[in-house]
């Protein structure tokens, strides 16, 4: 089993089941003691902003704000640099604990020893 898990979520409200799956897997992994790095890209970028996760709805799914909070508490959440720029999101706009970083950092994390990367 990988000791670290890097999850890139590209889906947001446009593909709610895929989005929810990514956040759920990240939260379950954190709760299981796995080191988790969750990357928000594409439409999931909006969830880096305060209050946006609360707008997400999917029947029979855990509330997105709760999942995000658990990952922020024990893991790392990163907003893609280019995705943020395209949406005019800056570091002063994001939820406390969310960092903005680019592809070089993602590749470095994904290729680290004992790491599994997943893309949703």
């Amino acid at each position: 089993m990988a000791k670290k898990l890097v999850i890139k979520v590209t889906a947001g409200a446009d593909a709610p089941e895929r989005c929810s799956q990514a956040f759920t897997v990240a939260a379950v992994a954190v709760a299981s003691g796995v080191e988790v790095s969750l990357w928000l890209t594409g439409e999931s970028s909006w969830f880096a902003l305060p209050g946006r996760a609360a707008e997400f709805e999917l029947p029979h799914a855990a509330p997105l704000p709760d999942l995000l909070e658990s990952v922020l508490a024990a893991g790392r959440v990163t907003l893609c640099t280019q995705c943020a720029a395209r949406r005019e999101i800056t570091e002063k706009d994001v939820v406390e604990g969310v960092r903005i970083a680019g592809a070089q950092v993602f590749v470095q994390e994904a290729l680290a020893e004992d790491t599994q990367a997943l893309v949703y």
Side-chain angles (χ1 to χ4, degrees):
M1 181 169 142
K3 295 179 182 166
K4 299 175 190 169
L5 185 59
V6 177
I7 299 172
K8 179 185 269 194
V9 55
T10 62
D14 60 325
E17 287 184 299
R18 194 161 29 110
C19 176
S20 180
Q21 289 168 2
F23 278 86
T24 300
V25 168
V28 168
V30 162
S32 300
V34 175
E35 184 179 326
V36 173
S37 178
L38 178 65
W39 282 73
L40 306 177
T41 68
E43 286 303 300
S44 72
S45 299
W46 296 113
F47 299 127
L49 296 175
R52 292 305 276 274
E55 297 173 6
F56 181 86
E57 292 183 16
L58 182 63
H60 309 290
L64 203 64
D66 295 349
L67 298 173
L68 179 58
E69 184 178 313
S70 68
V71 177
L72 280 167
R76 173 181 292 144
V77 178
T78 306
L79 172 59
C80 161
T81 301
Q82 290 181 5
C83 301
R86 280 190 281 276
R87 291 160 179 81
E88 299 180 354
I89 300 171
T90 67
E91 287 188 355
K92 66 179 170 107
D93 300 320
V94 299
V95 172
E96 186 176 340
V98 173
R99 69 175 177 166
I100 297 177
Q104 179 183 5
V105 177
F106 175 79
V107 170
Q108 183 180 35
E109 286 186 8
L111 295 178
E113 190 171 329
D114 294 325
T115 300
Q116 173 70 48
L118 302 173
V119 178
Y120 286 88

